[in-house]
């Protein structure tokens, strides 16, 4: 669920330890920059991720009380799963977002709605604004590139998000991006040796590929951007 900031993180947000990592997606967005989606390295990216998730602005991410080592262990566990994946998103080489994807049937979200073939679940934490502060359209442009990866890039039909119902800014952001509001659901508690997730009251929302990329169809092989040709 995105922490809403239309600010460019700026060059002070960190060096590029992922520069040698092969991106799963790379896209040049006109008037914005180059967006690269890299598999998260739980160790190399630990400082950046811990700094983001431990900040008060990330309270809905649910990791504000974890140490850096605990954050590393959490994402090390995630890298061993076939159904859940984590990525560090960089804009012009600078860390810009933490992206997590999951297969809804293998997640507690899948217990709360009718999962369709082609669904992909997403959690998203945006970097805090940089020294230049808020820049209108920054978040929208970044999300447009990520949806290009998640929908035509991965040949999926629909993005599913489940922000906390109290995270009004995130919900409003998704709706402005074209998401359709779904039901409010209660995600059950998960208490496993490697993972603990408290019960959560969530607002489901859905972004169909037919809405975000009306000129593409699943399985067509087309990798076109949004119909406007500009950041979505």
């Amino acid at each position: 669920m995105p922490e809403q900031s239309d600010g460019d993180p700026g060059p002070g947000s960190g060096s590029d330890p992922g520069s040698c990592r092969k991106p799963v997606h790379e896209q040049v967005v006109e008037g914005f920059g180059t967006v690269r989606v890299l598999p998260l390295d739980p160790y190399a990216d630990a400082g950046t991720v811990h700094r983001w998730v431990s900040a008060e602005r990330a309270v809905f991410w649910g990791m504000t009380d974890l140490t850096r080592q605990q954050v590393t262990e959490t994402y090390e566990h995630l890298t061993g799963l076939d159904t859940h994946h984590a990525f560090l998103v960089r804009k012009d080489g600078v860390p810009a977002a933490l992206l997590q994807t999951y297969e809804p049937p293998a997640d507690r979200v899948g217990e709360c709605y009718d999962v369709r073939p082609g669904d992909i679940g997403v959690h998203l934490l945006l970097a805090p604004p940089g020294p230049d502060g808020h820049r209108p359209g920054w978040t929208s442009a970044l999300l447009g590139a990520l949806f290009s990866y998640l929908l035509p890039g991965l040949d999926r039909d629909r993005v599913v998000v489940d922000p906390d119902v109290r995270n009004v800014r995130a919900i409003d952001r998704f709706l402005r991006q074209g998401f359709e509001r779904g039901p409010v659901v209660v995600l059950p508690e998960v208490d496993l040796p490697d993972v603990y997730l408290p019960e959560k009251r969530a607002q489901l929302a859905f972004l169909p590929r037919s809405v975000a990329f009306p000129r593409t169809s699943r399985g067509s092989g087309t990798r076109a951007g949004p119909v406007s040709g500009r950041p979505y």
Side-chain angles (χ1 to χ4, degrees), residues 38-79:
L38 303 164
L40 185 76
D41 185 320
Y43 296 93
D45 299 326
T48 296
V49 173
H50 179 253
R51 187 166 58 252
W52 291 354
V53 303
S54 61
E56 182 60 30
R57 65 185 292 276
V59 62
F60 293 117
W61 198 255
M63 300 177 73
T64 52
D65 294 332
L66 298 189
T67 66
R68 174 170 170 162
Q69 180 60 32
Q70 288 172 320
V71 170
T72 298
E73 291 171 355
T74 297
Y75 284 101
E76 184 180 29
H77 169 74
L78 204 64
T79 60

Side-chain angles (χ1 to χ4, degrees), residues 27 29 139-149 177 213 226 231-232:
Q27 182 175 340
V29 180
T139 300
S140 181
L142 184 72
L143 292 181
L146 296 183
F147 296 149
S148 292
Y149 166 59
Q177 288 287 139
F213 300 92
Y232 179 68

